[in-house]
Amino acid sequence: MLPSRSRLQGWNPDSLSPAGKAVDAAGQSMYGAVRSLEDGIDRLPDAGVWQGHAHEAATGMFRRATNQTSDFAAGAGAVGTALSKGDSTIGAARYWLLRAADDIDEGELRITDQWVVLIKPARMSAQHAAELQHQAEHDQAEINQLLLALGDADDGTAANVQAAAQKLGFTLPGPSDMASLFPQAPSRPADEVPNPRTMQGLVQQGAIRGEDMGTSVREVNETKDKDGNCIKTLTMQDGGKQVITMYNQWPPGKNPMPKDFVQVEHFDKDGKFISQTQSHVSGDGTKTTNIIWTDGTQFIATEAPDGTRTAAFTLPDGRYGVLPPNNPFFTGTFPQVLGGGLTALDAQAGRGGKFPMLTPESVENVGKAARFAGPAMGIATTIYDVGAAETSQEACVAGISGAFGVVGDYVGGDIGASVGTLGGPAAPVTVPFAAVGGAFLGGKGLGWIGHQVGEAVCRP
């Protein structure tokens, strides 16, 4: 199996050698005990204690028992030898993998629990971000080789132990065997991390790094336009941008009616529009949050002065859906869990709950933190997924997972094309991305990716 980094740190391969010696010693002890019984029975006639047909039958029985325990001792010895060899093979593979990961952690990159090489969030130039991405791809290839060596050592040890144990009558249950229906039945554990030997594992690793770069801020610029509107531009490690505008007045140049008008626009690394989120308070006190995605999907939520809340989606094909009043979006779970620093959404106090929206206060400190996902990324699925979480950390992970699920729904194909351009020293590991279409990198695929990123981002 391929273990997570945290699980591997808890592994103790050194214990295999003593265990192997103990198994071997137990087999030899059993053989010695039965052999002593046979020898004692065989000597009874010499002492004039027992002889005749009964003694001959007993002697034959114990001779057969000695032969059987001799085979058992040989099988136990083979199991012990396999365990002892696993001590060295697994131990060496574990040492080099953990050492490589620790060495990478000391620099500007880091290794996740899933063995994915990421760039540490920090302010940097575009050139340096590109250099670090190239280094991350190179180091990922090295980590993958060490990870696979560990998996091969673990699988090889398990296969050797099982082969030796077959001499003792041991067999793993098949899928149709009754034993396979019980949790305690022996079975080979599944990989805990993406397997870089498979296409899916390579895609998962690349997508995790891509999504992490898409939420890690590398540069922040603040300006004012000719109308006095404050504009804050966050540039991510991957070159994408989140442009936050706090309008001095709206509509510009006219007698403004709405107040606290705040807008966040999200663009990918090529400048392609992804989403736009706007929040404002109208003259009668009605709060409104409106989100438009690149495919034309629109989400609009309002809170009237009397506390009445409404929220609905309009899809590109004209379908329309209304959120129920007990949805987490209305009850405050979503912004509380993900926090204003990550989404720029502020949970405004209201009757019976809280209404998430952009405000000048909620975006004031955006950019000071290392990460920013934006209000639109994932709100469509988060307002459903977060409600099912039992703890705040689970809710946060669900929110991140929902965020990347939405992204996958509308840019899956583009991601499949872009990650296929990776090359250089990591080419043997990254180039196969080019063969991947948008199917895996759709909502379900990036939902999984979001869960892995969320585990790191939301860890208490």
Side-chain angles (χ1 to χ4, degrees), residues 50-182:
W50 189 22
Q51 56 184 338
H53 294 297
H55 172 263
E56 293 174 358
T59 300
M61 179 187 70
F62 277 98
R63 185 175 298 115
R64 291 190 298 273
T66 298
N67 292 335
Q68 290 176 348
T69 52
S70 175
D71 293 339
F72 177 83
V79 171
T81 299
L83 288 171
S84 297
K85 288 182 177 179
D87 180 341
S88 59
T89 56
I90 296 177
R94 174 182 180 272
Y95 170 80
W96 290 114
L97 177 57
L98 290 177
R99 176 175 173 176
D102 290 341
D103 288 345
I104 290 173
D105 283 344
E106 291 181 359
E108 296 179 275
L109 305 176
R110 66 183 181 91
I111 305 291
T112 71
D113 200 47
Q114 301 286 311
W115 301 109
V116 180
V117 183
L118 303 180
I119 303 172
K120 291 180 180 178
R123 299 298 185 260
M124 65 186 71
S125 66
Q127 179 181 352
H128 191 50
E131 292 171 350
L132 288 178
Q133 181 179 358
H134 180 76
Q135 184 63 43
E137 295 161 8
H138 178 277
D139 290 353
Q140 185 70 69
E142 177 185 352
I143 289 295
N144 285 348
Q145 292 174 355
L146 295 172
L147 177 62
L148 291 175
L150 171 72
D152 290 343
D154 181 61
D155 292 342
T157 298
N160 292 337
V161 170
Q162 291 172 16
Q166 286 177 358
K167 300 177 182 179
L168 305 176
F170 170 80
T171 57
L172 283 173
S176 60
D177 295 340
M178 285 297 295
S180 64
L181 301 177
F182 299 95

Side-chain angles (χ1 to χ4, degrees), residues 79-413:
V79 171
T81 299
L83 288 171
S84 297
K85 288 182 177 179
D87 180 341
S88 59
T89 56
I90 296 177
R94 174 182 180 272
Y95 170 80
W96 290 114
L97 177 57
L98 290 177
R99 176 175 173 176
D102 290 341
D103 288 345
I104 290 173
D105 283 344
E106 291 181 359
E108 296 179 275
L109 305 176
R110 66 183 181 91
I111 305 291
T112 71
D113 200 47
Q114 301 286 311
W115 301 109
V116 180
V117 183
L118 303 180
I119 303 172
K120 291 180 180 178
R123 299 298 185 260
M124 65 186 71
S125 66
Q127 179 181 352
H128 191 50
E131 292 171 350
L132 288 178
Q133 181 179 358
H134 180 76
Q135 184 63 43
E137 295 161 8
H138 178 277
D139 290 353
Q140 185 70 69
E142 177 185 352
I143 289 295
N144 285 348
Q145 292 174 355
L146 295 172
L147 177 62
L148 291 175
L150 171 72
D152 290 343
D154 181 61
D155 292 342
T157 298
N160 292 337
V161 170
Q162 291 172 16
Q166 286 177 358
K167 300 177 182 179
L168 305 176
F170 170 80
T171 57
L172 283 173
S176 60
D177 295 340
M178 285 297 295
S180 64
L181 301 177
F182 299 95
Q184 66 271 22
S187 61
R188 176 168 294 187
D191 293 336
E192 295 182 324
V193 300
N195 187 340
R197 189 167 276 149
T198 67
M199 179 67 69
Q200 178 174 324
L202 292 174
V203 170
Q204 290 174 341
Q205 286 184 341
I208 289 174
R209 183 163 50 254
E211 294 298 342
D212 184 80
M213 292 179 67
T215 58
S216 297
V217 181
R218 69 167 175 82
E219 186 178 351
V220 180
N221 290 314
E222 297 187 41
T223 60
K224 285 189 177 182
D225 63 15
K226 59 182 180 61
D227 296 318
N229 301 315
C230 297
I231 302 174
K232 182 182 299 185
T233 302
L234 278 61
T235 304
M236 306 300 165
Q237 288 179 354
D238 68 348
K241 296 182 185 296
Q242 299 264 9
V243 181
I244 304 171
T245 304
M246 291 167 281
Y247 285 95
N248 187 40
Q249 62 177 21
W250 187 265
K254 299 181 180 180
N255 183 25
M257 290 298 290
K259 63 179 180 178
D260 292 340
F261 198 105
V262 181
Q263 173 180 279
V264 176
E265 294 178 293
H266 188 186
F267 303 91
D268 69 10
K269 62 184 180 63
D270 297 318
K272 180 181 177 181
F273 172 79
I274 294 178
S275 66
Q276 178 191 77
T277 305
Q278 295 178 336
S279 289
H280 67 271
V281 181
S282 61
D284 64 357
T286 299
K287 301 170 184 175
T288 301
T289 293
N290 184 39
I291 304 176
I292 300 175
W293 285 272
T294 187
D295 66 349
T297 298
Q298 184 170 1
F299 171 76
I300 185 168
T302 64
E303 181 183 73
D306 63 359
T308 302
R309 301 178 184 86
T310 62
F313 284 97
T314 301
L315 302 180
D317 60 6
R319 285 179 296 166
Y320 183 80
V322 178
L323 268 64
N326 62 344
N327 189 274
F329 181 84
F330 294 126
T331 60
T333 305
F334 170 59
Q336 285 177 352
V337 168
L338 295 184
L342 187 63
T343 67
L345 289 171
D346 186 18
Q348 297 293 316
R351 298 182 183 180
K354 299 177 179 179
F355 182 76
M357 62 184 299
L358 299 169
T359 67
E361 293 77 19
S362 69
V363 301
E364 181 179 356
N365 293 323
V366 170
K368 294 181 180 179
R371 296 184 181 277
F372 183 69
M377 182 180 283
I379 194 172
T381 56
T382 298
I383 54 182
Y384 293 100
D385 296 342
V386 169
E390 295 183 359
T391 68
S392 60
Q393 182 181 358
E394 289 174 351
C396 180
V397 172
I400 297 292
S401 177
F404 295 149
V406 170
V407 173
D409 288 338
Y410 61 76
V411 299

